[in-house]
Amino acid sequence: MHIHIIGAGVIGLTTAYYLCEKGHKVTIIEQESNVALGASFANGGQLSYCFSDPLGKPGLLPKLPGIALNRDLAIRFNIPSSYESLRWLMRFAANCTEKNHGKNQLQLAKLSLSSMSLLAKMRDHLNLTFDHQKSSKLALFEKKKDFINEMKSLSLKQSLGNDNKAISIQEAESLEPAISNLTKQYAGAIYSESDEVGDTLLFCKELKDWLIKNGTDFHFETQVIELMKKNSKCYGINTNKGFFETENVIVCAGSLTEKIVQSPSPITSARGYSLTLPKGSVDLDVSLTLSDQRVLFTKLGEKIRVTGFADLFCKEVDDDKRIQELMDIAQDVAPELADYDSSKIDSWSGDRPLTPSSIPCIGPSKTEGVFINSGHGFYGWTLSFASGKIISNYF
Ligand SMILES: Cc1cc2nc3c(=O)[nH]c(=O)nc-3n(C[C@H](O)[C@H](O)[C@H](O)COP(=O)(O)OP(=O)(O)OC[C@H]3O[C@@H](n4cnc5c(N)ncnc54)[C@H](O)[C@@H]3O)c2cc1C
């Protein structure tokens, strides 16, 4: 079959890989001038196979009014002014119940675990490097209550094969001595030995080269305007560079997906920020999540990537201010882990495509011939392998 993919982020590219593997012809249409210039560009790089919880959880509901009043540094949103954003928020709130959170957590845990073996196979097959490392991961908790809450879901996750375990701070320090240089006191940590890291941008570039060698056509600087349909069946794609005749389309357009096709679970954008800095005076090998601040530290090659925050429904976002806030937190909590005074600091912001449940949409749309692989939220890099494989099985 000849399949057209819209979007050359990590989701579009992994989708293309699994379709190529099955012998299909693939054409990718991308509005930017190269791959991974959207949310996949400078993300946290964490392959969080064992730590991919949904954003919506019971403890978050009581915090929503404070978040709406901008009292929470990590999550921000304006009171939704459109029907679409209000609908998203209502559905998000419904996913914060104990029952729905548990269901979503399980589904994400299954998807992310299956990505682990799929990436291992892909690396063997394609010989990719992308600063990949078996880093393992530590999530640190300042409040005992949050640590205990986190421990509640461990046995469920472990029953799926997830190797998360709760450890004391002394144990965490013996695994990663850099923790003793942090300025906060911690109640405990969750350790995931099998978590990995890798640079998504490098991965996308390496995969693009393989895809081109294996017959995939890329059309860059080509913006999809609309999908053409007759009697609820797709017959082509209208773009600013002309018409593409096709009956098989997969929309992998990240946070812009809804502009092209209506997704069964609405996708909004959760803007996040990153800093890429030279290493500091203390080495970091394990990837770190500061759960209280929702800030991640990842070692990617010779650099440190710091990521964090989620801004929803914010009409005017002050990127510079948010990046400075991220820098201030990182420097305050982990002054030795990066060189914050360097002139070689790169900053970036990107829009995560987020559904109310945090579960991505992977499957057919209402229009015959049009499929969606989008809405991967906070863990699109991690989930890309499992979701690329799943969507390829429709063809
Ligand atoms: C700060 C931050 C940190 C993160 N950290 C991690 C992490 O540590 N681990 C992890 O697993 N995930 C992480 N993520 C999440 C992950 O980066 C995203 O979920 C993932 O990149 C989404 O990929 P995508 O391909 O769906 O979207 P994108 O990368 O945004 O790709 C979509 C593409 O579609 C194109 N497109 C859109 N509309 C059109 C159109 N009309 N015509 C043509 N092309 C179009 C866009 O130009 C874009 O290139 C992080 C995200 C952010 C922002």
Side-chain angles (χ1 to χ4, degrees):
M1 283 169 89
H2 185 182
I3 298 148
H4 284 68
I5 293 177
I6 301 171
V10 69
I11 301 297
L13 296 173
T14 46
T15 299
Y17 168 75
Y18 288 109
L19 291 170
C20 279
E21 243 201 342
K22 294 182 86 171
H24 297 300
K25 163 80 189 160
V26 176
T27 295
I28 302 187
I29 302 174
E30 167 58 53
Q31 64 187 6
E32 299 289 350
S33 57
N34 210 334
V35 295
L37 293 178
S40 310
F41 184 72
N43 66 19
Q46 298 196 348
L47 290 156
S48 287
Y49 305 125
C50 299
F51 216 102
S52 53
D53 283 353
L55 178 66
K57 51 172 126 184
L60 197 67
L61 267 190
K63 292 185 188 158
L64 285 183
I67 291 174
L69 292 169
N70 278 348
R71 290 209 191 109
D72 190 315
L73 203 54
I75 308 177
R76 292 251 159 105
F77 66 75
N78 284 346
I79 304 290
S81 51
S82 69
Y83 166 74
E84 285 75 26
S85 40
L86 194 63
R87 186 173 69 122
W88 191 96
L89 196 65
M90 302 288 277
R91 287 177 69 164
F92 175 74
N95 277 287
C96 290
T97 60
E98 201 79 56
K99 188 172 159 220
N100 287 339
H101 172 253
K103 202 176 71 187
N104 297 334
Q105 197 176 36
L106 196 65
Q107 215 174 320
L108 281 175
K110 283 183 186 163
L111 266 183
S112 45
L113 271 180
S114 81
S115 268
M116 178 159 51
S117 50
L118 286 167
L119 174 57
K121 270 193 209 148
M122 194 194 272
R123 284 180 49 239
D124 279 354
H125 179 202
L126 308 188
N127 218 1
L128 306 177
T129 52
F130 61 92
D131 282 341
H132 173 262
Q133 269 201 334
K134 290 188 180 292
S135 60
S136 71
K137 171 163 163 166
L138 279 166
L140 305 176
F141 296 84
E142 286 175 41
K143 296 181 202 87
K144 201 165 181 185
K145 195 175 116 214
D146 293 342
F147 182 47
I148 290 169
N149 267 342
E150 205 59 41
M151 285 199 279
K152 283 185 194 157
S153 57
L154 283 190
S155 55
L156 181 75
K157 288 185 184 171
Q158 285 159 352
S159 69
L160 299 171
N162 178 321
D163 69 1
N164 272 1
K165 58 181 181 194
I167 59 173
S168 68
I169 280 306
Q170 291 71 27
E171 288 173 293
E173 280 176 5
S174 65
L175 287 164
E176 175 51 85
I179 290 175
S180 54
N181 292 79
L182 302 181
T183 58
K184 302 274 180 196
Q185 297 294 314
Y186 294 98
I190 304 287
Y191 178 57
S192 319
E193 195 181 351
S194 51
D195 276 8
E196 302 172 357
V197 297
D199 188 323
T200 318
L201 175 64
L202 288 183
F203 170 87
C204 289
K205 286 181 174 170
E206 291 179 15
L207 187 54
K208 171 191 159 192
D209 293 344
W210 183 90
L211 287 167
I212 290 174
K213 277 190 204 130
N214 285 272
T216 296
D217 293 330
F218 281 85
H219 293 263
F220 289 113
E221 295 177 345
T222 306
Q223 185 176 39
V224 170
I225 296 161
E226 66 178 324
L227 299 177
M228 304 307 292
K229 49 194 172 180
K230 198 173 180 187
N231 301 328
S232 280
K233 188 171 188 289
C234 178
Y235 66 87
I237 305 170
N238 244 344
T239 76
N240 63 342
K241 298 270 176 80
F243 179 72
F244 289 74
E245 191 180 332
T246 178
E247 290 182 352
N248 303 294
V249 180
I250 308 179
V251 184
C252 305
S255 61
L256 299 174
T257 295
E258 298 258 357
K259 289 192 183 233
I260 301 170
V261 62
Q262 198 189 358
S263 159
S265 182
I267 296 169
T268 195
S269 116
R271 198 167 182 81
Y273 304 85
S274 84
L275 294 162
T276 309
L277 313 101
K279 286 195 300 187
S281 55
V282 169
D283 274 346
L284 177 76
D285 290 313
V286 168
S287 64
L288 274 190
T289 296
L290 308 177
S291 302
D292 295 76
Q293 292 80 12
R294 288 179 172 269
V295 170
L296 278 60
F297 283 78
T298 313
K299 185 178 153 196
L300 288 174
E302 289 305 302
K303 304 255 173 167
I304 297 290
R305 173 88 36 92
V306 180
T307 51
F309 302 165
D311 294 343
L312 289 89
F313 317 123
C314 297
K315 278 184 225 105
E316 285 165 24
V317 194
D318 187 342
D319 281 352
D320 292 344
K321 184 165 173 269
R322 291 299 266 156
I323 281 162
Q324 188 57 51
E325 286 170 346
L326 183 63
M327 176 84 106
D328 291 345
I329 291 183
Q331 199 164 6
D332 177 41
V333 182
E336 316 283 349
L337 289 192
D339 180 359
Y340 300 97
D341 296 323
S342 168
S343 56
K344 293 183 190 139
I345 299 178
D346 290 320
S347 60
W348 171 80
S349 59
D351 291 321
R352 305 175 185 92
L354 187 67
T355 64
S357 61
S358 298
I359 307 289
C361 298
I362 314 170
S365 74
K366 280 185 192 156
T367 304
E368 195 182 328
V370 178
F371 292 75
I372 302 173
N373 188 9
S374 187
H376 296 74
F378 287 70
Y379 300 103
W381 171 217
T382 309
L383 302 172
S384 61
F385 309 96
S387 48
K389 179 83 178 164
I390 293 170
I391 199 81
S392 75
N393 287 335
Y394 283 92
F395 295 89

